[in-house]
């Protein structure tokens, strides 16, 4: 029997990959003011870490928030 590995967010994944993991990932990015408006748009090819570095967001905090989406959907 094989164990099913649930998707997780990690700092090396691209923004585009993150958006495909959970439909509400974009809301989390927006809550950190990433990609929500024209002057803070983010590139889907950048990694989560690159985006965080560019906008001064702590990558561990953002990744934890994204992973909370997955924990909330398990309930």
């Amino acid at each position: 029997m094989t164990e099913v590995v649930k998707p997780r967010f990690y700092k090396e994944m691209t923004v585009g990959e993150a958006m495909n993991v959970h439909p509400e990932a974009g809301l989390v990015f927006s809550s950190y003011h990433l990609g929500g408006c024209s002057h803070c748009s983010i590139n889907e090819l950048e990694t989560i870490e690159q985006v965080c570095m560019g906008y001064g967001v702590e990558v561990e905090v953002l990744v934890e928030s994204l992973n909370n989406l997955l924990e909330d959907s398990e309930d």
Side-chain angles (χ1 to χ4, degrees), residues 42-59:
I42 53 178
N43 184 329
E44 289 188 4
L45 300 177
E46 287 183 293
T47 66
I48 292 173
E49 184 173 39
Q50 289 171 325
V51 169
C52 287
M53 287 174 47
Y55 289 95
V57 174
E58 290 186 47
V59 67

Side-chain angles (χ1 to χ4, degrees), residues 8-13 28-29 32 48-49 52 57-71:
R8 300 293 294 169
F9 295 94
Y10 52 94
K11 65 183 181 178
E12 296 86 8
M13 77 180 350
V28 174
F29 284 112
Y32 286 87
I48 292 173
E49 184 173 39
C52 287
V57 174
E58 290 186 47
V59 67
E60 294 83 11
V61 174
L62 178 58
V63 169
E64 181 179 347
S65 294
L66 288 165
N67 281 317
N68 284 337
L69 289 173
L70 301 174
E71 292 172 12

